[in-house]
Amino acid sequence: MVSSTNPVVSPAGEGLVYSVVGDTYTFKAVSEDTGGAYSTFEFFIPPQHGSPPHIHHREDETFYILEGELLFQVGDQNIVLSAGSFVHAPKGIPHSFKNVGTTPARTFTTAIPAGLENFLRK
């Protein structure tokens, strides 16, 4: 992994967009931007959508909730969190989340190291 020395600017409404089972990922920085250090994205999750339980074997993942109400399962913890809350899901730990509110939820999510965007490209 080589650190990037170039600034990264991603204006509102721009970025690499993927739609997966009704959720939308808008990547603001990807591996090529950060020298492989991390990728970061805005996550849009409609009501009753989210991600089923899964494990990342190479990435730690962080979620900062911008809007909405999400039920997170991280390891043995289950907790409903709202805007302003933060979650760290370490690699190797099962985690999931679901929008349990009546309005869309948005998170600012970072995967460390970068590469999650490559998984979604397939």
Side-chain angles (χ1 to χ4, degrees), residues 11-119:
E14 293 186 15
L16 184 62
V17 178
Y18 295 104
S19 183
V20 179
V21 295
D23 299 338
T24 303
Y25 300 71
T26 303
F27 280 86
K28 305 308 258 177
V30 295
S31 185
E32 294 83 5
D33 301 321
T34 67
Y38 66 92
S39 54
T40 192
F41 55 95
E42 182 179 355
F43 210 157
F44 179 87
I45 307 133
Q48 303 307 306
H49 282 251
S51 180
H54 62 283
I55 298 174
H56 294 278
H57 294 287
R58 62 177 297 276
E59 300 97 359
D60 289 330
E61 203 169 23
T62 67
F63 302 83
Y64 182 79
I65 302 170
L66 300 169
E67 296 176 357
E69 193 172 59
L70 295 166
L71 170 62
F72 272 89
Q73 178 259 324
V74 181
D76 293 334
Q77 289 185 302
N78 288 293
I79 187 166
V80 175
L81 298 170
S82 58
S85 299
F86 175 84
V87 176
H88 176 232
K91 66 184 166 201
I93 302 295
H95 62 283
S96 66
F97 53 90
K98 180 178 182 178
N99 181 346
V100 294
T102 58
T103 60
R106 285 188 320 120
T107 71
F108 190 73
T109 301
T110 302
I112 307 157
L116 186 61
E117 69 277 9
N118 297 324
F119 173 76

Side-chain angles (χ1 to χ4, degrees), residues 2-8 32-35:
V2 176
S3 279
S4 174
T5 58
N6 297 318
V8 177
E32 294 83 5
D33 301 321
T34 67

